[in-house]
Amino acid sequence: MARISTIDDVPAGTPMAVSLRSTRELVTGNWRTFRPVWTTRPSPCNLDCPAGTDVRAYLRHVADGQFEEAWRTILEHNPLPGICGRVCYHPCERHCNRQGLDSAVAVHAIERAIGDEARRLRLQVERPAPSNHARRVAIIGAGPAGISCAYHLALRGHLPTMFDAMPEAGGMLRYGIPPYRLPREVLDAELETLWRLGVAFQGSARFGESLRWEDLNPYAAVFVAVGANRSREARVPGDNLAGVRSGLEFLRAANAGTETALSGAAVVIGGGNTAMDAARTALRLGAAPVTVAYRRSREHMPAHPDEIAQAEAEGIEFIFEVAPSGFVNGRGRLSGVELRRMRLGSPDASGRPRPEPVPGSEFRLDAAHAFTAIGEDVEVDPFAQVIDTHGGRLYADAWGRTTRPAVFAGGDAATGAGMVVNAIGSGRVAADAIDAWLAGRDPVELGHAERVGPSEVNLFYFRPSARATQAHLPREQAVRVMDEVVQGLDALAATREALRCLTCGTCTECDNCLVFCPDAAVRHDARSGTYSADTLHCKGCGICVAECPRGAIVLAPEEQR
């Protein structure tokens, strides 16, 4: 096509408008009915983190090689990054917009790398200066909710003391989760942060026995976070035989070091994470074969898919759609488990198909050990005289406030959410509420915002790249020891993975909006790193919104002129 230098160069009959004058002479701003607004919006990972962590911010720090800044960003909400990077089932990855291009960012692996790097560098949290408003707060339960609450209260200058029925702090992190998933040196190192902040701990203090309500009178407030530690009973003949135990009881003994060896076959009843932990621990202590018997099909198992896959890889056998009908007595102790086939019926209250027994389908598995892992309840009785209960849990509102002044409750005992990260979030929220109550004010309500969805990011500007994978111990080695099975990412691999983050909902000054604006109506202030619209020329076409890779620009209706 010939070059057009003057109006005479335009071929006759060309169906186009042509102007050789500057577009700046065309004041098109009065066409505008919408105006672009540069804004910061919640990313899916931020909104989906139950602990409230600013995931997007710490991923960006790691992408820049700033591991200490990333660690301190996490600690604004969560004192246990190395632990969460291992045992959290990463709901932050569930709606990652990167999945529209290839696969979600491995946030959990990056968080673990941050925690491990902080441990290697011996990073520490500074203890706040003594406060004239410091108050003593009792925390019953030293699991993740209690730890989180104590940490955030200590950061605010208060004097928390954690009480726990077990001799050491950690709750389910220490006595429920096996070391091959959570090494104890990681737990101890992250608890060290609390001790440095001045948090006190009193172990072997079971509420209702060695710890009474009157003992808490010196404290200005109480937070109850005792978890759900009472296993549901199978309620079939023989469930009191020697050799039949709850999965939690077995894990508690194994993790405390009082159960060190098993022999013979083991059957685990249940399909949740406790069942997977019990089965894999039994295998490591010498039981063989180890079989998991679950009453529904595999796709309805409540255990996390990663845990199921790892159990299978280690040689755990699974039998689906069966339920125990009895435990067999062989000279005073367990010799086998009677199982009955089930068929899946219409959905029950959980939305999953209701298992229905198939008459005459009983069969037997030989077993020297049977571990029941069919759910856990809260031991509410010791607290029933102090706190209202509801549905088998301690009653508390969204802030953890019970109906009794100065008494708060959280974690599994109140929420029933069941994940470590939910308990951590519950403890942080309760700390906010306790601090507010001690100061005689209401806690600050947070606003609600819509996440940046898949249709609001422009994936054209991102290249596909494979998600980082974590190595596993070889099966032959893993099943003989309690060493950590899933290996971590080193700093370089974590940085590469963090660079896959789309940084949804926030501006990174890529200048796409400025480059693509047909009216040259976008202004960039390099000093503040902000953009704005030249209202004389911006006609609100929305091209800047469409070309923004991260959904950090929205169109707002223009006020009527």
Side-chain angles (χ1 to χ4, degrees), residues 486-500:
V486 181
Q487 306 298 295
L489 303 180
D490 61 24
L492 179 59
T495 300
R496 286 176 178 157
E497 183 62 13
L499 284 168
R500 296 180 67 239

PDB file of all heavy atoms in Angstrom, residues 486-500:
ATOM      1  N   VAL A 486       7.477 -35.438  51.509  1.00  0.00           N
ATOM      2  CA  VAL A 486       7.451 -34.439  50.437  1.00  0.00           C
ATOM      3  C   VAL A 486       8.591 -33.457  50.665  1.00  0.00           C
ATOM      4  O   VAL A 486       8.707 -32.862  51.740  1.00  0.00           O
ATOM      5  CB  VAL A 486       6.098 -33.708  50.400  1.00  0.00           C
ATOM      6  CG1 VAL A 486       6.077 -32.686  49.264  1.00  0.00           C
ATOM      7  CG2 VAL A 486       4.957 -34.705  50.237  1.00  0.00           C
ATOM      8  N   GLN A 487       9.421 -33.286  49.654  1.00  0.00           N
ATOM      9  CA  GLN A 487      10.576 -32.407  49.777  1.00  0.00           C
ATOM     10  C   GLN A 487      10.204 -30.975  49.354  1.00  0.00           C
ATOM     11  O   GLN A 487       9.249 -30.760  48.600  1.00  0.00           O
ATOM     12  CB  GLN A 487      11.724 -32.927  48.909  1.00  0.00           C
ATOM     13  CG  GLN A 487      12.070 -34.393  49.195  1.00  0.00           C
ATOM     14  CD  GLN A 487      12.550 -34.598  50.630  1.00  0.00           C
ATOM     15  OE1 GLN A 487      13.592 -34.087  51.011  1.00  0.00           O
ATOM     16  NE2 GLN A 487      11.787 -35.334  51.423  1.00  0.00           N
ATOM     17  N   GLY A 488      10.970 -30.023  49.830  1.00  0.00           N
ATOM     18  CA  GLY A 488      10.660 -28.621  49.557  1.00  0.00           C
ATOM     19  C   GLY A 488      11.360 -28.092  48.319  1.00  0.00           C
ATOM     20  O   GLY A 488      12.198 -28.768  47.711  1.00  0.00           O
ATOM     21  N   LEU A 489      10.998 -26.863  47.937  1.00  0.00           N
ATOM     22  CA  LEU A 489      11.672 -26.159  46.847  1.00  0.00           C
ATOM     23  C   LEU A 489      12.826 -25.355  47.438  1.00  0.00           C
ATOM     24  O   LEU A 489      12.697 -24.801  48.531  1.00  0.00           O
ATOM     25  CB  LEU A 489      10.708 -25.199  46.153  1.00  0.00           C
ATOM     26  CG  LEU A 489       9.417 -25.775  45.556  1.00  0.00           C
ATOM     27  CD1 LEU A 489       8.614 -24.643  44.907  1.00  0.00           C
ATOM     28  CD2 LEU A 489       9.715 -26.872  44.551  1.00  0.00           C
ATOM     29  N   ASP A 490      13.952 -25.283  46.712  1.00  0.00           N
ATOM     30  CA  ASP A 490      15.001 -24.379  47.181  1.00  0.00           C
ATOM     31  C   ASP A 490      14.618 -22.945  46.794  1.00  0.00           C
ATOM     32  O   ASP A 490      13.596 -22.715  46.117  1.00  0.00           O
ATOM     33  CB  ASP A 490      16.368 -24.782  46.622  1.00  0.00           C
ATOM     34  CG  ASP A 490      16.439 -24.740  45.109  1.00  0.00           C
ATOM     35  OD1 ASP A 490      15.642 -24.003  44.486  1.00  0.00           O
ATOM     36  OD2 ASP A 490      17.291 -25.447  44.533  1.00  0.00           O
ATOM     37  N   ALA A 491      15.420 -21.992  47.225  1.00  0.00           N
ATOM     38  CA  ALA A 491      15.050 -20.583  47.021  1.00  0.00           C
ATOM     39  C   ALA A 491      14.911 -20.243  45.542  1.00  0.00           C
ATOM     40  O   ALA A 491      13.998 -19.499  45.148  1.00  0.00           O
ATOM     41  CB  ALA A 491      16.090 -19.682  47.688  1.00  0.00           C
ATOM     42  N   LEU A 492      15.792 -20.782  44.713  1.00  0.00           N
ATOM     43  CA  LEU A 492      15.725 -20.474  43.287  1.00  0.00           C
ATOM     44  C   LEU A 492      14.448 -21.040  42.667  1.00  0.00           C
ATOM     45  O   LEU A 492      13.757 -20.354  41.896  1.00  0.00           O
ATOM     46  CB  LEU A 492      16.962 -21.039  42.577  1.00  0.00           C
ATOM     47  CG  LEU A 492      17.025 -20.805  41.059  1.00  0.00           C
ATOM     48  CD1 LEU A 492      16.988 -19.304  40.748  1.00  0.00           C
ATOM     49  CD2 LEU A 492      18.273 -21.458  40.470  1.00  0.00           C
ATOM     50  N   ALA A 493      14.125 -22.275  42.995  1.00  0.00           N
ATOM     51  CA  ALA A 493      12.913 -22.891  42.445  1.00  0.00           C
ATOM     52  C   ALA A 493      11.664 -22.161  42.944  1.00  0.00           C
ATOM     53  O   ALA A 493      10.693 -21.985  42.191  1.00  0.00           O
ATOM     54  CB  ALA A 493      12.856 -24.367  42.822  1.00  0.00           C
ATOM     55  N   ALA A 494      11.684 -21.721  44.206  1.00  0.00           N
ATOM     56  CA  ALA A 494      10.538 -20.980  44.742  1.00  0.00           C
ATOM     57  C   ALA A 494      10.390 -19.639  44.030  1.00  0.00           C
ATOM     58  O   ALA A 494       9.268 -19.195  43.738  1.00  0.00           O
ATOM     59  CB  ALA A 494      10.714 -20.778  46.239  1.00  0.00           C
ATOM     60  N   THR A 495      11.511 -18.996  43.733  1.00  0.00           N
ATOM     61  CA  THR A 495      11.452 -17.715  43.014  1.00  0.00           C
ATOM     62  C   THR A 495      10.864 -17.914  41.625  1.00  0.00           C
ATOM     63  O   THR A 495      10.014 -17.132  41.177  1.00  0.00           O
ATOM     64  CB  THR A 495      12.863 -17.109  42.921  1.00  0.00           C
ATOM     65  OG1 THR A 495      13.366 -16.898  44.242  1.00  0.00           O
ATOM     66  CG2 THR A 495      12.840 -15.788  42.180  1.00  0.00           C
ATOM     67  N   ARG A 496      11.323 -18.945  40.941  1.00  0.00           N
ATOM     68  CA  ARG A 496      10.776 -19.225  39.602  1.00  0.00           C
ATOM     69  C   ARG A 496       9.280 -19.476  39.663  1.00  0.00           C
ATOM     70  O   ARG A 496       8.520 -19.021  38.805  1.00  0.00           O
ATOM     71  CB  ARG A 496      11.484 -20.451  39.012  1.00  0.00           C
ATOM     72  CG  ARG A 496      12.915 -20.170  38.552  1.00  0.00           C
ATOM     73  CD  ARG A 496      13.556 -21.451  38.095  1.00  0.00           C
ATOM     74  NE  ARG A 496      14.915 -21.244  37.608  1.00  0.00           N
ATOM     75  CZ  ARG A 496      15.840 -22.189  37.556  1.00  0.00           C
ATOM     76  NH1 ARG A 496      15.547 -23.419  37.945  1.00  0.00           N
ATOM     77  NH2 ARG A 496      17.047 -21.922  37.112  1.00  0.00           N
ATOM     78  N   GLU A 497       8.857 -20.214  40.672  1.00  0.00           N
ATOM     79  CA  GLU A 497       7.430 -20.508  40.789  1.00  0.00           C
ATOM     80  C   GLU A 497       6.643 -19.236  41.099  1.00  0.00           C
ATOM     81  O   GLU A 497       5.545 -19.032  40.575  1.00  0.00           O
ATOM     82  CB  GLU A 497       7.194 -21.565  41.873  1.00  0.00           C
ATOM     83  CG  GLU A 497       5.746 -22.006  42.041  1.00  0.00           C
ATOM     84  CD  GLU A 497       5.163 -22.671  40.789  1.00  0.00           C
ATOM     85  OE1 GLU A 497       5.923 -23.021  39.886  1.00  0.00           O
ATOM     86  OE2 GLU A 497       3.923 -22.814  40.737  1.00  0.00           O
ATOM     87  N   ALA A 498       7.192 -18.371  41.953  1.00  0.00           N
ATOM     88  CA  ALA A 498       6.498 -17.122  42.292  1.00  0.00           C
ATOM     89  C   ALA A 498       6.368 -16.218  41.071  1.00  0.00           C
ATOM     90  O   ALA A 498       5.406 -15.434  40.966  1.00  0.00           O
ATOM     91  CB  ALA A 498       7.243 -16.404  43.410  1.00  0.00           C
ATOM     92  N   LEU A 499       7.319 -16.316  40.145  1.00  0.00           N
ATOM     93  CA  LEU A 499       7.245 -15.503  38.929  1.00  0.00           C
ATOM     94  C   LEU A 499       6.071 -15.932  38.044  1.00  0.00           C
ATOM     95  O   LEU A 499       5.699 -15.207  37.124  1.00  0.00           O
ATOM     96  CB  LEU A 499       8.562 -15.617  38.148  1.00  0.00           C
ATOM     97  CG  LEU A 499       9.734 -14.817  38.733  1.00  0.00           C
ATOM     98  CD1 LEU A 499      11.050 -15.224  38.083  1.00  0.00           C
ATOM     99  CD2 LEU A 499       9.498 -13.320  38.564  1.00  0.00           C
ATOM    100  N   ARG A 500       5.494 -17.105  38.283  1.00  0.00           N
ATOM    101  CA  ARG A 500       4.312 -17.532  37.530  1.00  0.00           C
ATOM    102  C   ARG A 500       3.048 -16.801  37.989  1.00  0.00           C
ATOM    103  O   ARG A 500       2.026 -16.843  37.306  1.00  0.00           O
ATOM    104  CB  ARG A 500       4.090 -19.044  37.689  1.00  0.00           C
ATOM    105  CG  ARG A 500       5.199 -19.909  37.106  1.00  0.00           C
ATOM    106  CD  ARG A 500       4.899 -21.397  37.317  1.00  0.00           C
ATOM    107  NE  ARG A 500       3.756 -21.834  36.553  1.00  0.00           N
ATOM    108  CZ  ARG A 500       2.666 -22.354  37.058  1.00  0.00           C
ATOM    109  NH1 ARG A 500       2.552 -22.517  38.373  1.00  0.00           N
ATOM    110  NH2 ARG A 500       1.664 -22.725  36.291  1.00  0.00           N
TER     111      ARG A 500
END
